[in-house]
Amino acid sequence: MPQRIAPDPTARGPLAGVRVVDLSRLVAGNMLSLQLADFGADVIKVESLEGDTLRQWCEPDPQGGAPFDAWWRTYARNKRSLALDLRDAQAMALLRRLLASAQVLVESFRPGTLEAMGLAPALLQAAHPGLVVVRISGWGQSGPYRELPGFGSLVEGFSGYAHKHLENGTPRLPNLALADMVAGLTGAFATLAALREVEVHGGRGQVIDLSLLDPMLAILGPDVSCYAHAGQAPDPTRKIASPRGVYRCRDGGWVALSGSTDAMARRVMEAIGAAALADDPRFATNAARLRHDAELDAMVARFIAAHDLPDCLALFRAQGVTVGPVLDAPGLLADAHVAARGCYVAVGEQATVMHAVTPRLSGTPGGIRREAPALGEHTRALALELGLDEGELQALLARKAARCS
């Protein structure tokens, strides 16, 4: 079991003093604001009275218990929840007060929606010149597809990712919210870059046009460059190095192995008892090995198939080969390295297991200050902090324009 920790509300990260108003829903915006919240930013989730849709992404309980809201517990930690009906004029006025105190606004509405709400970035930045506005959408704020729905699955197909992962000729989507996660990480970096321009160089706030598509195109390698250069699309099933792959062991375990350099490939061949192959012109360079990959791959697979996973790892590691086990969730929680580094922690009274704050800073590390909030958990405190009196707050609640947990 990972180390159990209690949230520490006194922890101060390097982004302390930065207030982020997060109007986004689902994964990309929550991943972005999680990075900022983990390192000390005051992230305020402004939710509808029904809550962020991510709250509904629950995993079934194998024992028949209540569904487990793992997505929300993990990606909403360190945030505060303000539940408002933004169709109400007084609720919108409260949001405007909140924005006046913020350095960052994150939204993921369809392009044009923010303008229709009277919150066009130009208007906001006229009143608050340093405000950084992050606009998340599937396809971006410009271009002929800007108004089309843009969930990550569509982008994973459109971007070429699914085509690079053919299975029996069929493109495959990833079994995770890949495009959203990559966009969230990219957006967090862009936000910090824009904040630095304001805080260090005295510049103005900027609008960050963060599509799910652009970051996916950035991580998928040079296929388009190769096509533009040679007029022929690379084979999506091609390897980039040989030997390289995932191989099944005798006991049913799996290993991932990579011989991405000539020196490493030589070690692989020595480890499988085929040292002479390293001087064979067919296998002496990566380009040559790729041309004869089927033969080399079959030899590696046969060797691994004759050994149990622990012995296989020991044999290859003794030769300095880059090899490792293919793990699932139970394997990760049982792994000594994962445990030693504290990659997962069990948070709060319910000991919810989630990934630890990453990356690791030596002097001003991030931390977990609070668990994921209940819907509207901080509505009262924030409303009073922003200048509403108790009567005004009660009027909002009575009109169902706001919600407290």
Side-chain angles (χ1 to χ4, degrees):
M1 186 69 176
Q3 178 188 4
R4 186 165 181 169
I5 64 171
D8 179 5
T10 66
R12 185 194 69 82
L15 296 181
V18 174
R19 172 167 283 181
V20 179
V21 176
D22 185 357
L23 295 175
S24 72
R25 295 162 292 179
L26 287 175
V27 181
N30 274 304
M31 183 60 164
L32 189 164
S33 61
L34 174 71
Q35 310 311 308
L36 307 179
D38 277 357
F39 287 93
D42 178 20
V43 173
I44 300 169
K45 286 288 302 182
V46 180
E47 304 183 69
S48 71
L49 301 191
E50 294 74 36
D52 189 320
T53 311
L54 195 65
R55 291 179 180 273
Q56 302 168 20
W57 281 25
C58 296
E59 301 297 325
D61 186 329
Q63 279 74 48
F68 178 45
D69 56 344
W71 285 87
W72 181 253
R73 293 193 193 198
T74 299
Y75 295 100
R77 71 189 184 197
N78 284 331
K79 303 176 187 180
R80 298 198 281 171
S81 173
L82 172 63
L84 297 175
D85 181 355
L86 296 181
R87 295 167 296 185
D88 182 272
Q90 284 184 288
M92 181 60 77
L94 183 60
L95 174 62
R96 290 181 180 278
R97 291 193 197 187
L98 180 62
L99 288 171
S101 69
Q103 287 74 48
V104 179
L105 167 63
V106 180
E107 62 98 358
S108 63
F109 299 118
R110 189 174 295 190
T113 301
L114 206 61
E115 287 80 358
M117 295 168 65
L119 299 175
L123 295 176
L124 296 175
Q125 290 172 332
H128 315 295
L131 183 67
V132 174
V133 181
V134 186
R135 311 197 69 176
I136 304 170
S137 63
W139 311 103
Q141 301 296 315
S142 61
Y145 300 159
R146 66 185 293 268
E147 295 185 0
L148 292 178
F151 286 169
S153 298
L154 304 184
V155 170
E156 288 148 9
F158 185 95
S159 65
Y161 176 91
H163 190 254
K164 287 178 70 71
H165 295 80
L166 299 177
E167 184 173 296
N168 298 322
T170 301
R172 289 187 60 84
L173 294 175
N175 191 25
L176 73 161
L178 180 64
D180 289 83
M181 294 298 191
V182 173
L185 293 170
T186 303
F189 163 76
T191 300
L192 295 179
L195 284 174
R196 180 175 173 82
E197 172 64 16
V198 174
E199 296 172 353
V200 176
H201 301 299
R204 296 177 62 87
Q206 303 178 53
V207 175
I208 298 172
D209 180 358
L210 179 64
S211 77
L212 302 189
L213 176 62
D214 295 344
M216 283 296 290
L217 298 180
I219 69 167
L220 284 175
D223 286 8
V224 172
S225 179
C226 293
Y227 173 75
H229 174 73
Q232 183 174 344
D235 177 2
T237 65
R238 75 194 186 283
K239 285 185 173 182
I240 58 175
S242 177
R244 181 176 184 268
V246 175
Y247 304 91
R248 190 179 181 92
C249 300
R250 182 171 58 191
D251 58 3
W254 293 82
V255 296
L257 178 147
S258 178
S260 298
T261 66
D262 291 342
M264 187 58 66
R266 177 181 287 272
R267 293 179 191 175
V268 173
M269 288 180 264
E270 291 171 349
I272 66 172
L277 290 181
D279 297 318
D280 186 321
R282 295 174 300 162
F283 304 106
T285 66
N286 189 56
R289 289 191 297 275
L290 286 171
R291 290 193 296 270
H292 299 90
D293 177 68
E295 183 179 350
L296 180 57
D297 190 69
M299 286 188 283
V300 173
R302 282 195 299 270
F303 178 86
I304 291 175
H307 296 81
D308 292 340
L309 176 60
D311 295 334
C312 184
L313 292 174
L315 286 166
F316 279 120
R317 286 171 174 169
Q319 294 287 338
V321 171
T322 43
V323 67
V326 176
L327 299 180
D328 56 7
L332 283 167
L333 288 182
D335 185 80
H337 182 78
V338 171
R341 283 183 60 81
C343 295
Y344 293 96
V345 291
V347 179
E349 293 183 2
Q350 294 181 299
T352 302
V353 175
M354 60 185 69
H355 71 275
V357 173
T358 184
R360 301 161 189 245
L361 276 63
S362 63
T364 55
I368 298 179
R369 303 184 309 283
R370 57 172 57 94
E371 297 181 67
L375 178 58
E377 179 178 340
H378 303 95
T379 297
R380 175 179 297 280
L382 283 165
L384 298 177
E385 176 186 326
L386 293 168
L388 265 67
D389 60 35
E390 185 66 29
E392 291 172 313
L393 174 58
Q394 289 302 322
L396 277 176
L397 296 173
R399 251 191 351 271
K400 292 185 168 50
R403 175 173 174 173
C404 291
S405 63

